[in-house]
Amino acid sequence: MCGIVGIFDLQGQRDIEAKLLARLTHSLRHRGPDEDGMHREPGLGLGHRRLSVIDLASGQQPLFNADRSVAIVFNGEIYNYRALMAELRHFGHQFRTSSDTEVIVHAWEQWGEQCVQRLRGMFAFALWDRRRHLLFLARDRLGVKPLYYGELTDGTLAFGSELKALLAHPAMPRELDPLAVEDYFAYGYVPEPRSIFRHAHKLPPGHTLCIRAGQPLPAPCQYWDVPFVPHAPTSEAQAADELLARLREAVRIRMVAEVPLGAFLSGGVDSSAVVAMMAGSSASPVNTCSISFGDPAYNEAQYASMVARRYGTLHHAQQVESDDFELIDLLATLYDEPFADSSAMPTYRVCQLARRRVTVALSGDGGDESLAGYRRYNLHAREEKMRAMLPQGLRRSLFGTLGRLYPKADWAPRFLRAKTTFEGLARDTTDAYFHSVSILGDAMRARLFSPELRRSLQGYRAVDVLRRHALASPAQDPLSQVQYLDLKTYLPGDILTKVDRASMAHALEVRSPLLDHELVAWMSGLPPQLKLRGGTGKYLLKKALRPLLPDELLYRQKMGFSVPLAAWLRGPLRERLRQRLTSPVMAQCGLFDMDYIDQLIDQHGAGRRDHSAPLWSLLMFESFLRQVVPLPAATARELATA
């Protein structure tokens, strides 16, 4: 696992300053503390920070082909590199190292831009082909590894594993993108391909980008998508056996490392399944790590311990106390963008704990999206059945009126919040799902934003992100459609971003077997009733795991990896919240209605409403403005006139 950076002259072959390239490379030193490497030639500079995991002795980067006409900087792991190496040797290729990085170079020589189709793993890489004068950027299919790029004011293109690499360049404009601000306060993160800055972009998952000097920057090219092609009919038992076999293989190929290896163990179904598979493939006890909370409502420690005892793991646990607030400002510098998922705090701590004992950790990420584990899927499926019974015009009139008249009940469980249900039934499918996942709904964002920011949006709404993906979706049934939306947005934008930054802050490599693209493609073709049945998500996985894990764990209520935000913001964080959200940096940026922010703080503090999610989003945005963005670049006037 590593960090990559680069500078490419879009206009010609100007020299890339050595000190500047070193600055960008050094900005990612946390991702690769073991070694660094740089390469410069006219018009190009490549930089690399290395965390040594495979081929410790000879895997240094940038890495070249035999005549040094092809160079690569690579972040990730290619799990089928040995098979590819054997195939490429059959074509006459000779290897100087035993690294997966060199396999990509030879795969490029053999198959060109189609080489990405042959790679099984997580990756982001930049490959320079001097003969073709071509810079080739690529990102893995699900977006496990990140890659940012942007055109700079000096006519160069900069790219890097994190946004901070681009921000280290003095020619990188720090002008906020108003559309990204709208997206952030809707989703709690900025979905691909945008970044919070207008001139920086994320290469979307499953895409490549071919760049040539003297030509306009092209649009990224998609090389893979989640297929959602139904399988041929088979029995439930056969499907369960195949799921387990495919998961076992995905775990096994991720256990190859020349450094200590372990796993995260939250006590949930997915991480417990991964640990069970690891224990069956390992001759020695598996190292497992978990985080617990003092609040019993958020504590899964007993279930993690149950799995650890069953499989004899070397288990390490740490409790996160309710005053663990030193991370609030640190998170802004880790993510470089505003990021409102509060589980980033315990994720940071579990990565910190794991790194004390291992260099590589396997996680259970991806199971909820592929196998319908989120509770919102069940609610959406129920509402979708009701929406199908009435035409949209009638639903909009009837349920829209009921939604406006019915009192808001933040304190109640979701299924008792009739106002939320009525509002959802009044919408079409995509808008309803957007309504269910939004941190701040349309009306709340309209009240929060200043008139200047609303004008700069020019009618844009964050739901357009989901609408764009819905139009491209190959999925047919309602459940698969929203799974597809999460696989394109929430998974890469929130879950994988959170894990990548938290793990790389500690130079820890995280591998996710449930995000193996072959496994994801196969799971996408399962019938919806094998994913969600009778209100039970992950139906098939739970059935398959019954011989390996207790029902007490498999069928308990899902808790999630979250923190008690509402209580924190009414208690130990109350004064800090008001101080930060009414600070000059918030008042002078011109983005918000400060009276409305005061109202949110007062209502939450008095216990009249639960505004914990909107307030946390604002707190994270304030930290981002204060630490990452110079104040003048964040003014609403510049947003409106840019």
Side-chain angles (χ1 to χ4, degrees), residues 300-364:
E300 297 182 289
Q302 61 175 314
Y303 299 104
S305 298
M306 182 188 304
V307 176
R309 288 193 301 271
R310 180 164 183 156
Y311 288 101
T313 74
L314 301 176
H315 190 57
H316 312 280
Q318 177 178 314
Q319 181 166 308
V320 175
E321 302 298 337
S322 61
D323 59 352
D324 187 26
F325 305 132
E326 64 184 83
L327 296 182
I328 291 176
D329 283 341
L330 177 62
L331 292 179
T333 61
L334 286 183
Y335 290 87
D336 305 316
E337 299 184 273
F339 187 76
D341 187 340
S342 60
S343 67
M345 298 174 71
T347 301
Y348 179 91
R349 291 301 185 202
V350 76
C351 290
Q352 184 180 55
L353 174 64
R355 189 60 177 92
R356 295 171 189 162
R357 294 166 176 85
V358 301
T359 307
V360 177
L362 272 61
S363 82

Side-chain angles (χ1 to χ4, degrees), residues 19-78:
K19 288 184 179 179
L20 179 59
L21 181 62
R23 182 194 304 170
L24 270 62
T25 304
H26 185 68
S27 73
L28 300 183
R29 61 194 179 279
H30 54 286
R31 296 185 71 94
D34 295 333
E35 294 179 274
D36 67 354
M38 289 180 286
H39 168 72
R40 291 186 305 128
E41 61 181 82
L44 175 75
L46 298 174
H48 185 262
R49 294 291 314 199
R50 186 186 187 203
L51 174 63
S52 303
V53 173
I54 291 175
D55 192 20
L56 306 187
S58 60
Q60 291 79 13
Q61 298 184 42
L63 186 145
F64 301 83
N65 67 342
D67 65 5
R68 297 183 69 87
S69 64
V70 175
I72 189 173
V73 284
F74 162 61
N75 170 31
E77 300 288 348
I78 306 301

Side-chain angles (χ1 to χ4, degrees), residues 568-583:
W568 283 4
L569 296 177
R570 290 191 182 108
L573 278 180
R574 185 170 184 165
E575 291 307 314
R576 185 187 301 197
L577 178 74
R578 183 174 294 278
Q579 179 185 19
R580 292 285 179 85
L581 297 194
T582 59
S583 68

Side-chain angles (χ1 to χ4, degrees), residues 175-178 198 450-458 586-592 631-642:
E175 176 190 345
L176 298 186
D177 183 347
R198 189 189 291 270
S450 66
E452 293 85 359
L453 178 53
R454 290 199 301 271
R455 282 195 296 271
S456 71
L457 293 175
Q458 298 181 335
M586 292 290 279
Q588 295 173 23
C589 74
L591 299 174
F592 306 112
L631 185 61
T635 63
R637 181 177 299 107
E638 289 179 350
L639 282 175
T641 59

Side-chain angles (χ1 to χ4, degrees), residues 108-148:
W108 170 265
E109 291 181 309
Q110 184 66 36
W111 297 301
E113 296 170 22
Q114 297 304 310
C115 68
V116 291
Q117 300 282 1
R118 311 298 297 268
L119 306 178
R120 185 178 183 182
M122 54 180 183
F123 55 84
F125 66 82
L127 185 144
W128 166 244
D129 189 323
R130 187 184 305 114
R131 292 177 178 173
R132 298 170 61 184
H133 208 72
L134 170 69
L135 179 66
F136 182 71
L137 306 182
R139 190 177 179 197
D140 66 67
R141 295 165 179 83
L142 278 305
V144 180
K145 292 291 98 186
L147 189 55
Y148 290 81

Side-chain angles (χ1 to χ4, degrees), residues 232-303:
T234 185
S235 71
E236 188 175 292
Q238 288 174 320
D241 289 344
E242 185 167 357
L243 173 57
L244 216 56
R246 287 176 175 270
L247 176 58
R248 186 174 289 111
E249 191 238 0
V251 169
R252 179 185 56 78
I253 63 175
R254 284 163 177 77
M255 293 178 67
V256 177
E258 298 176 19
V259 292
L261 179 142
F264 297 146
L265 180 57
S266 68
V269 173
D270 299 329
S271 67
S272 299
V274 169
V275 169
M277 299 297 103
M278 292 179 71
S281 300
S282 177
S284 56
V286 177
N287 283 288
T288 55
C289 299
S290 68
I291 291 293
S292 63
F293 301 94
D295 188 336
Y298 297 86
N299 197 352
E300 297 182 289
Q302 61 175 314
Y303 299 104

